[in-house]
Amino acid sequence: MSVETAVETKTIFGSEVPQPPQHGAAGGVMRGLNFGTGLVGGIGLAAVAGWITAILTPSSASNASFAPMEPTYVYLAVLLGWVVGFMLGIGAFVGPLRWVVGRDVTHADAEYMAGKDLGRKRYWKYTTDHKVVGIQYLIVTMLLLGFAGLLAMLIRTELGMTWTSLFTPAFYNSMIGTHGIAMIIGMIVVVSGPLGNFIVPMMIGARDMAFPRLNALSLWLFVAAVPMLVSSMFMGGIQDGWSVYQPLASQAPVGMLGYQMTIIVFAISTAVASVNLMTTILTMRAKGMTWSRTPIFVYGIFAASIMGLYAFPFFQYSQILGLADRVFATSFFDPLNGGSVWLYENLFWLLGHPEVYVILIPSTAVALELMPVFLRKPLFSFNFAVAGIVGVVALSGLVWAHHMYMTGWAPAANYPFMLSTELISIPVGFLVLVAIGTFWRGTAWTRLPLMAVYAVIFNKMIGGVTGVYLSDVPADQYFHGSMFVVAHFHFMLMGAGLFGAMAGIAYFFPKMTGRFLDERTGSIGLWTAFVGFQITFISMFVAGLQGQPRRVLDFDDQFNLSNWISTIGAYVIGIGMLIFLSAIINSWRSGVIASSNPWGSKSLEWQTETPVPLENFPVLPVVTERPYNYGVPDPYEAELDSIDEDLTEKAGTK
Amino acid sequence: MSADTLIPEEPEAPTNRPPSMQRVRLWLQRPYARKVLILTVLIGFLLLPLAWLLLAGMNQTGAPASEIMKDIEQTVFVFTLVSIPITAFVFAVLVYSLIGWRQISGDEPPMQDSPAIRTNTIGVILWTVSSTLLAMFLVVWGLVELAQITANSYGTISADEQPGQKSSEIINVTGQQWVWTFEYPEHNGLTSDILYLPLDRPVYFNVTSKDVIHNFWAVELGVKIDANPGAITQTGVTANKLGTFNVRCAELCGMHHAYMQTQIQVLEQDAFDSWVRESGGKKTS
């Protein structure tokens, strides 16, 4: 058999490149698939799976407490059908299925999948281009955060109306649970998703991610997970807080399945995204980009990927076991049948603590990344910034049981966990040092991104100091489970995390959309939200100090005042966030056109043109110097040098 | 040629740099350095009242009512004092970078760059050493306090205790959705839904739950421990203040979690005895 055919060549950036032979014609069913067919597939398969399960389940099936099992089985089948159907419908399995039938994804197909010449349609498809995935992540995350923020408003409304009750206790509990987990998922994604995908490959001088199709997979799994979370609100809800402690969760209505399936699917998405980002960063950095020439944001995303990769499996196991308890009547977490509630708590917090650093480190890294640009000086002590990130990653897996000081699980283990938790303040302190060292004597170009960094550092200091109380077992004996904890982690996750994400979005907005984020509206939104944030959560600290437990919908009169103030503040945050959102939407549609490098940055991602072409760089860049090479010689150093000379002369004449 | 002849005979060459102390002195002469330090002190003094305000918040309903709660408050007080200088310094730099060092606005990047300070050995060393010392202080303080609180709560029944002169009291605390039950096994298994405690006598709690996880929080006494189904957790306290205090559930336990609270009555020994008698329990012999 002869395979002798004329080798096709193609002109790529002005040179003839031989093309490998392709098997099979380009095109096929893939070209007709998009988000719409995904919805049809998902809803269709969900309906079919639910219907078949309903037929197959005997109506008498019930669990040990005589509750009928049919809704559980049907809802589970619907959720599974949704995920599989949606992923099939949107074309997630086109590549693997082609392998199965022995056809290649041809070059033309790959270009089609990357969204070449598709215009706006590519944002609705299973597109592999990292820039499209980044924008898609941004939109989905903002929708999710908006949904969770709406729940936050409802929660604060209920708590502020101390004279009456708006919601039933069951619905209130389901709101706090859904708010919690939706915010956590949204915050995990909000920097690593949009900026990690859009910016990181450009920042390291690569043409795309290492595994473009996996990139799309991680996004669309995330998209498939979100409706399951929302659907659980209509199936009795997640009434057990975001941590869904067992055995309370086993009492919950079938809505709990929505939580469990969301986590199981989201953990796969996170694993895929983490591996993809790590491989990209490890193997695809531009020539000459040694580790000391790699921007700090890349370190931040890499660190978040490592932590996500090892932490999420624990969460996934815990939910798979919980799902088995519910569906198959196993008893992993049922103490009456030999299970352990402490097992669940351990598995959960093995995720739970690294996860807060998965949120915090990328937003901190964004802040550190943009500071040198706006202060026109190098990042202070780059090595310390890296050491800080490495230290946080190293300790992140050793501190989880500080959430369990008061559980009675292992009182003797409180000593080492207090030690490891308080040690984390040292690497975090490094990051603070880097930030204030970069501010030191810098000419601040007070544009919106830099101003957001001020907010981040302020909030992070408050969150950090209050965290020191909570890391201490004796103080935690008072604060554990109180509103003080709620205020503390909102300062960290929202005050440092979300404001950091806002800084990052404002900074990279010109690269992502070609337009400036409107300075005026954006700043008004940012500072309104900031003021509201301080009002809300400082009065929540007060409620916690007074002894108000968290997750209560009703409380003693002594807590009324702080809760009223807190609710007023929450509305101010809401208004601020809406203003910021309107700034994003308006600027995206009709903002001031930005040049390709409006901030005058020296970083690689700004050196390519805007809008960024499909493969980012016409010629792959070569890096020859350290990042953040801004600044002029320090005048004081010259002065010191002259003193040196004087001293040398004096020593010489002695 | 032996190795020691390689050592140069002339005296050490003069150092190329002024000694560190002199560098610090020179640094302090720079106007911005003094201003940042003054700002730090100012902000520090502004933050200082927090140390007392936090305690005022905690003491609103009559705390501290035990040694444990006193230890907790002492910890909060010391931690606040310790963290004020570093917080004040960071805030001072933030404020000074907005008002002191030059700042510009406008659409174009600044024409002139700032001084290229890539690192500062003395500053970095100072920061690392001080933050490590601070963290070590917090750790040591925490470990010592924890040991003390543990001794105060679980401490073994004292050795000088005479038979028939029991100085301690055992209470079985049971959480269930959504009530607390307190059983006094040494008094005919007397049960109550209000926690009665004798003044100045150690009390040991055996805490458990009938259904889901609850958290037994005696707010003003600084006692907190989970009530787990299928396990008994132990803690204890000596109430040293008369009055009415609060028990709250500090772990989400379902629909009526918010209402799972009750009172603590700390009574004189006589009043406690008469309460036991009137409620049908056996008097402490």
Side-chain angles (χ1 to χ4, degrees):
Chain A
M1 198 169 91
S2 96
V3 285
E4 204 161 318
T5 44
V7 177
E8 277 185 51
T9 59
K10 200 176 178 198
T11 315
I12 296 174
F13 296 122
S15 58
E16 293 281 304
V17 179
Q19 295 294 301
Q22 309 274 342
H23 305 280
V29 70
M30 175 184 91
R31 311 225 162 186
L33 300 179
N34 56 29
F35 182 64
T37 55
L39 281 184
V40 171
I43 294 171
L45 195 57
V48 171
W51 181 63
I52 293 176
T53 315
I55 290 174
L56 290 182
T57 312
S59 56
S60 61
S62 63
N63 66 6
S65 37
F66 305 107
M69 287 301 282
E70 194 173 349
T72 305
Y73 296 145
V74 172
Y75 187 38
L76 182 62
V78 165
L79 292 176
L80 285 170
W82 155 258
V83 178
V84 176
F86 179 78
M87 297 309 285
L88 266 177
I90 200 158
F93 305 125
V94 163
L97 288 178
R98 288 258 179 113
W99 277 335
V100 170
V101 299
R103 277 177 66 200
D104 280 347
V105 176
T106 62
H107 186 72
D109 286 335
E111 278 189 331
Y112 181 86
M113 283 180 89
K116 195 181 183 198
D117 304 327
L118 282 178
R120 286 203 174 172
K121 256 168 52 185
R122 68 189 196 277
Y123 291 104
W124 295 97
K125 293 176 76 77
Y126 191 80
T127 306
T128 54
D129 182 15
H130 72 100
K131 298 179 286 293
V132 176
V133 175
I135 299 287
Q136 288 165 330
Y137 256 120
L138 182 63
I139 304 289
V140 181
T141 312
M142 288 201 313
L143 286 175
L144 182 62
L145 291 179
F147 166 70
L150 184 69
L151 291 176
M153 290 294 120
L154 294 178
I155 292 169
R156 277 318 321 172
T157 309
E158 162 71 49
L159 292 178
M161 294 171 73
T162 46
W163 54 91
T164 178
S165 224
L166 279 181
F167 307 113
T168 62
F171 188 68
Y172 176 79
N173 283 353
S174 111
M175 280 197 309
I176 55 173
T178 313
H179 162 77
I181 190 64
M183 278 294 187
I184 291 285
I185 291 180
M187 288 305 302
I188 286 171
V189 173
V190 72
V191 175
S192 306
L195 304 182
N197 280 297
F198 197 108
I199 300 299
V200 163
M202 287 156 61
M203 197 176 256
I204 61 174
R207 295 207 192 279
D208 203 326
M209 298 283 273
F211 309 112
R213 269 190 266 151
L214 287 188
N215 202 15
L217 181 70
S218 72
L219 168 88
W220 290 107
L221 280 173
F222 172 50
V223 176
V226 170
M228 298 198 286
L229 187 64
V230 178
S231 79
S232 77
M233 284 286 281
F234 303 98
M235 303 296 292
I238 303 153
Q239 300 185 7
D240 318 293
W242 82 280
S243 51
V244 297
Y245 268 14
Q246 302 279 356
L248 182 62
S250 61
Q251 292 182 349
V254 287
M256 183 55 59
L257 281 174
Y259 178 97
Q260 288 161 336
M261 282 299 295
T262 304
I263 298 309
I264 291 168
V265 173
F266 181 63
I268 301 173
S269 157
T270 314
V272 170
S274 299
V275 169
N276 202 352
L277 280 165
M278 286 168 72
T279 315
T280 309
I281 293 169
L282 281 177
T283 62
M284 294 175 68
R285 297 197 314 284
K287 286 215 171 10
M289 186 177 272
T290 58
W291 284 112
S292 59
R293 291 177 187 164
T294 306
I296 199 70
F297 180 61
V298 177
Y299 279 90
I301 293 292
F302 192 78
S305 305
I306 295 180
M307 291 187 286
L309 196 59
Y310 86 77
F312 270 87
F314 292 113
F315 200 11
Q316 201 184 21
Y317 301 152
S318 71
Q319 297 313 316
I320 290 173
L321 299 186
L323 190 124
D325 274 7
R326 175 172 282 272
V327 177
F328 306 118
T330 54
S331 58
F332 292 106
F333 304 131
D334 177 7
L336 297 181
N337 289 306
S340 164
V341 296
W342 288 322
L343 172 64
Y344 180 81
E345 290 171 17
N346 274 295
L347 285 176
F348 182 81
W349 290 115
L350 271 163
L351 156 93
H353 208 79
E355 164 265 314
V356 303
Y357 300 121
V358 174
I359 295 173
L360 271 178
I361 291 293
S363 348
T364 311
V366 162
L368 296 183
E369 177 68 34
L370 63 86
M371 283 173 68
V373 180
F374 289 86
L375 290 152
R376 311 311 297 178
K377 64 201 285 284
L379 192 68
F380 180 78
S381 203
F382 182 82
N383 293 344
F384 258 61
V386 176
I389 290 175
V390 170
V392 169
V393 172
L395 286 171
S396 66
L398 302 173
V399 297
W400 79 92
H402 66 218
H403 295 267
M404 298 170 61
Y405 284 155
M406 298 302 137
T407 58
W409 164 59
N414 285 355
Y415 293 86
F417 277 109
M418 174 159 64
L419 175 73
S420 59
T421 306
E422 289 184 351
L423 284 185
I424 267 201
S425 64
I426 299 175
V428 172
F430 288 177
L431 296 174
V432 174
L433 170 71
V434 173
I436 60 171
T438 311
F439 274 125
W440 196 255
R441 294 175 57 201
T443 305
W445 184 22
T446 51
R447 295 294 296 263
L448 177 56
L450 184 67
M451 297 315 285
V453 173
Y454 284 95
V456 170
I457 296 175
F458 180 84
N459 290 336
K460 197 168 186 176
M461 282 312 290
I462 295 179
V465 168
T466 50
V468 171
Y469 302 127
L470 294 172
S471 72
D472 180 85
V473 185
D476 192 51
Q477 189 151 335
Y478 188 81
F479 293 129
H480 173 86
S482 77
M483 287 306 248
F484 193 91
V485 178
V486 180
H488 157 73
F489 71 69
H490 277 90
F491 258 95
M492 279 319 222
L493 301 187
M494 184 182 179
L498 188 58
F499 280 85
M502 286 157 81
I505 289 170
Y507 174 57
F508 289 117
F509 203 78
K511 189 45 81 179
M512 296 173 86
T513 66
R515 295 168 189 275
F516 279 108
L517 183 64
D518 186 60
E519 188 84 10
R520 218 176 100 86
T521 335
S523 302
I524 293 173
L526 178 82
W527 291 115
T528 312
F530 179 79
V531 170
F533 179 81
Q534 305 303 330
I535 298 172
T536 310
F537 293 103
I538 286 181
S539 53
M540 203 177 276
F541 275 129
V542 175
L545 285 163
Q546 290 173 315
Q548 184 191 343
R550 62 191 284 204
R551 296 161 167 168
V552 294
L553 96 160
D554 205 353
F555 36 78
D556 291 354
D557 287 346
Q558 57 160 323
F559 306 122
N560 280 355
L561 184 61
S562 39
N563 275 283
W564 290 332
I565 298 175
S566 199
T567 298
I568 293 169
Y571 280 101
V572 178
I573 301 179
I575 293 167
M577 287 298 174
L578 284 180
I579 297 174
F580 196 84
L581 184 67
S582 79
I584 290 181
I585 294 172
N586 285 335
S587 311
W588 206 322
R589 290 167 56 177
S590 56
V592 182
I593 304 281
S595 65
S596 68
N597 188 4
W599 311 121
S601 165
K602 295 191 173 181
S603 196
L604 281 183
E605 75 276 16
W606 295 101
Q607 309 311 321
T608 177
E609 60 187 298
T610 309
V612 188
L614 184 59
E615 291 195 318
N616 301 347
F617 300 97
V619 177
L620 281 182
V622 176
V623 181
T624 54
E625 58 179 25
R626 287 186 287 179
Y628 320 118
N629 242 346
Y630 310 97
V632 293
D634 185 355
Y636 280 107
E637 282 297 321
E639 190 184 298
L640 276 178
D641 285 343
S642 69
I643 294 169
D644 283 355
E645 279 160 24
D646 287 357
L647 283 180
T648 321
E649 274 170 29
K650 276 180 197 159
T653 53
K654 227 178 246 174
Chain B
M1 199 179 185
S2 69
D4 49 349
T5 57
L6 286 175
I7 297 168
E9 283 167 23
E10 61 202 272
E12 267 182 44
T15 49
N16 226 8
R17 283 275 173 193
S20 316
M21 277 321 289
Q22 189 175 347
R23 295 201 75 168
V24 172
R25 215 173 301 133
L26 284 170
W27 181 80
L28 281 172
Q29 282 167 10
R30 300 181 191 174
Y32 64 82
R34 289 187 175 181
K35 283 181 188 158
V36 170
L37 290 182
I38 291 170
L39 208 52
T40 306
V41 175
L42 275 179
I43 295 176
F45 275 104
L46 279 177
L47 293 175
L48 199 55
L50 272 180
W52 287 272
L53 285 175
L54 291 185
L55 295 198
M58 293 168 79
N59 287 342
Q60 274 202 338
T61 48
S66 72
E67 276 305 312
I68 295 180
M69 191 62 190
K70 258 192 202 137
D71 286 344
I72 292 173
E73 295 193 347
Q74 200 179 4
T75 304
V76 171
F77 185 75
V78 169
F79 278 22
T80 314
L81 288 187
V82 168
S83 45
I84 281 176
I86 213 154
T87 313
F89 179 64
V90 173
F91 286 178
V93 174
L94 291 190
V95 170
Y96 198 77
S97 106
L98 279 175
I99 61 167
W101 291 304
R102 227 155 46 84
Q103 58 152 299
I104 60 149
S105 49
D107 292 341
E108 290 301 310
M111 293 306 287
Q112 216 203 331
D113 278 9
S114 309
I117 312 170
R118 279 212 175 257
T119 187
N120 179 324
T121 316
I122 297 178
V124 162
I125 290 175
L126 262 179
W127 181 278
T128 312
V129 170
S130 55
S131 66
T132 309
L133 283 179
L134 214 59
M136 285 305 142
F137 170 77
L138 297 178
V139 168
V140 171
W141 176 278
L143 292 176
V144 171
E145 283 284 302
L146 175 57
Q148 198 173 326
I149 282 192
T150 311
N152 277 343
S153 16
Y154 307 97
T156 49
I157 293 169
S158 58
D160 57 339
E161 189 180 291
Q162 299 298 313
Q165 269 196 337
K166 279 187 69 67
S167 67
S168 66
E169 194 72 49
I170 291 176
I171 301 177
N172 295 336
V173 180
T174 307
Q176 71 192 85
Q177 289 170 323
W178 292 273
V179 286
W180 292 108
T181 312
F182 307 102
E183 187 200 356
Y184 297 75
E186 295 169 324
H187 304 289
N188 277 351
L190 165 66
T191 60
S192 162
D193 55 0
I194 289 179
L195 178 58
Y196 289 93
L197 295 179
L199 184 70
D200 286 333
R201 275 177 55 200
V203 177
Y204 297 99
F205 300 109
N206 297 320
V207 184
T208 189
S209 161
K210 284 188 180 170
D211 34 46
V212 301
I213 302 173
H214 303 275
N215 185 300
F216 171 64
W217 183 15
V219 181
E220 292 81 0
L221 280 82
V223 171
K224 184 178 278 167
I225 193 128
D226 270 7
N228 294 293
I232 293 174
T233 46
Q234 291 178 313
T235 184
V237 72
T238 308
N240 58 12
K241 190 171 174 185
L242 288 175
T244 308
F245 305 114
N246 295 293
V247 170
R248 298 201 179 94
C249 176
E251 186 62 65
L252 180 61
C253 57
M255 261 206 290
H256 299 298
H257 164 58
Y259 305 102
M260 190 168 167
Q261 47 181 339
T262 183
Q263 280 186 352
I264 303 171
Q265 296 278 0
V266 180
L267 305 173
E268 296 270 16
Q269 186 60 43
D270 293 350
F272 182 75
D273 286 341
S274 58
W275 168 74
V276 167
R277 224 178 8 253
E278 279 161 27
S279 331
K282 199 172 64 181
K283 184 186 175 297
T284 322
S285 49

